[in-house]
Each structure stands twice: as structure tokens, then as C-alpha cells.
Amino acid sequence: MLFRSMALSGALLPVGLGVSRAETMKMEDLALEGPLGDVFMGSPDAKVTIIEYASMTCSYCAKFSAKTFPLLKEKYIDTGKVRFTLREFPFDPLATAAFMLARCKGNDKYHAMVELLFAQQKAWTGSDKPTEALLSVVRQAGFTQESFETCLKNKTIYDGVNFVKERGAKVFGVDSTPTFFINGEKRSGAISIEDMDKILTPLLGG
């Protein structure tokens, strides 16, 4: 299985909450997508673009997904004010596998798969048999043993996920998760909806 032979050979990197930085990147540089493309939510005409770099095994990312993202989506994304995408920054082989499975479901189900995996993160990251636990979780989304193994053997998806991670680190200085670029400004940590309101209000002219 590619997951065992390639993903498990990857170096383990430390995951941390991170420190918010007053650093800004050019939006034209951030706009360059990886080989698998970005899966955006929200209006392409939105005033604000948020790009999140996350690791599927990062507890702070799961916290953001559970606590902040639903409100962000309701208040800003669904109303056309914010355009949002999540980019892969797996810190370990298990996170790489999880992102690969999300990609294998296709763009229309990508965010739903990410939310499912974050919601049940403890079940598969805390297991003595994480691969089996991960399969158990994604069976809820229609994966079989065969499709699970086929996905994790897909070198194109494996390489695409790692391209995004490597470019995020080398070009944009991502070194912790979650890291956000909000209209190019870099912010790190599981931002609360209250702090997100403070960041977005002036950008939206409110």
C-alpha cells in the first residue's frame, strides 16, 4: 500500500498552536494552486479570501473546524462576504492519508470529508490501529476496503498533497497549524469567531 511504503517514510514534524504574525504575502502568489487545485467555498467576488493550511491530525485544526468554522460559514461564507479554502499541510503520515481520502471523494465532497475526519479525529488518531480506525470512519462516507486501499496507492494524489505542504513551508513560511492567510495577512492558531469578527470587520468595511 502506498500509504505504508511512502507516507510512513515521511518525517514527523511538530504540531503547535503557533503565534499570530503580522506578515503579509502577495495574493497573486497565494493564488497559485497545487496540482490538485483548490476547493473554494463562497463567492469568487467576495471582498475577503481566507486560505487555511491545516493538518488532519492537528487538534487545534479540529477545534477550529468544530467551533469557529460553522459560524464563519454562516456569517461570512454563505453570505458572499468571504471566499474560503483549506490547503493540505500534513505533519505526519496519518494526516497525509486522511487528506488523500478526502481528495479521493472529489471536489464536491472534499469539505464534507474534511469535516467528518476532524469531527471524529480522536477516534482514528488515538487508536492503537490507526489505519483500521481511519477506514472505519471513512466507511461512513462510502469507502470500502478496496476503494480505501486504491486511494492510498494513488501516487498523483500523494504527490499533490505533499506539493502543497512543501510550497506552504518553503514559500509562505508555514510551520504550524492552523495557519491562515486572510487577504494575504498571515495568522496562526485556532482563531475564535470573536477574533475572526475583529479581523474581518475592517476588511469588509463594517
Side-chain angles (χ1 to χ4, degrees):
M1 180 183 299
L2 184 70
F3 169 48
R4 293 187 184 277
S5 63
M6 295 183 66
L8 285 178
S9 66
L12 298 181
L13 300 175
V15 179
L17 176 58
V19 178
S20 185
R21 300 178 181 178
E23 185 178 351
T24 302
M25 300 292 173
K26 294 180 180 179
M27 285 303 297
E28 55 263 36
D29 293 335
L30 285 164
L32 180 63
E33 300 180 3
L36 304 177
D38 283 325
V39 185
F40 275 100
M41 303 176 71
S43 171
D45 299 321
K47 286 186 176 181
V48 176
T49 296
I50 298 177
I51 298 172
E52 176 189 3
Y53 282 84
S55 177
M56 288 304 310
T57 52
C58 162
S59 61
Y60 296 111
C61 301
K63 178 182 177 181
F64 176 83
S65 178
K67 302 294 185 181
T68 304
F69 185 75
L71 296 172
L72 175 70
K73 185 175 184 295
E74 178 184 348
K75 294 178 68 174
Y76 297 105
I77 298 172
D78 291 345
T79 56
K81 298 175 182 178
V82 166
R83 192 173 186 232
F84 175 90
T85 193
L86 181 144
R87 287 182 177 170
E88 298 95 347
F89 200 85
F91 269 129
D92 54 74
L94 195 57
T96 301
F99 274 129
M100 290 175 70
L101 292 162
R103 283 289 186 175
C104 282
K105 290 302 290 184
N107 288 357
D108 59 331
K109 296 180 180 179
Y110 176 75
H111 285 288
M113 276 294 298
V114 168
E115 289 179 24
L116 170 66
L117 290 162
F118 274 140
Q120 300 192 33
Q121 186 189 75
K122 291 182 180 179
W124 54 276
T125 60
S127 173
D128 292 336
K129 298 180 179 179
T131 304
E132 293 179 14
L134 185 57
L135 172 59
S136 179
V137 170
V138 299
R139 282 188 187 277
Q140 300 171 45
F143 276 94
T144 63
Q145 179 80 43
E146 182 180 4
S147 62
F148 178 83
E149 293 182 1
T150 297
C151 177
L152 297 183
K153 292 176 183 176
N154 190 315
K155 189 175 185 301
T156 298
I157 293 178
Y158 176 86
D159 289 344
V161 167
N162 281 287
F163 176 94
V164 171
K165 178 186 72 173
E166 291 167 10
R167 188 169 190 270
K170 293 177 182 178
V171 179
F172 305 125
V174 178
D175 58 7
S176 64
T177 57
T179 290
F180 302 89
F181 291 92
I182 303 174
N183 275 7
E185 186 174 352
K186 186 177 181 181
R187 303 268 183 165
S188 298
I191 304 173
S192 67
I193 191 61
E194 292 79 13
D195 287 338
M196 190 66 79
D197 287 338
K198 293 175 184 177
I199 295 168
L200 294 178
T201 297
L203 294 176
L204 294 169

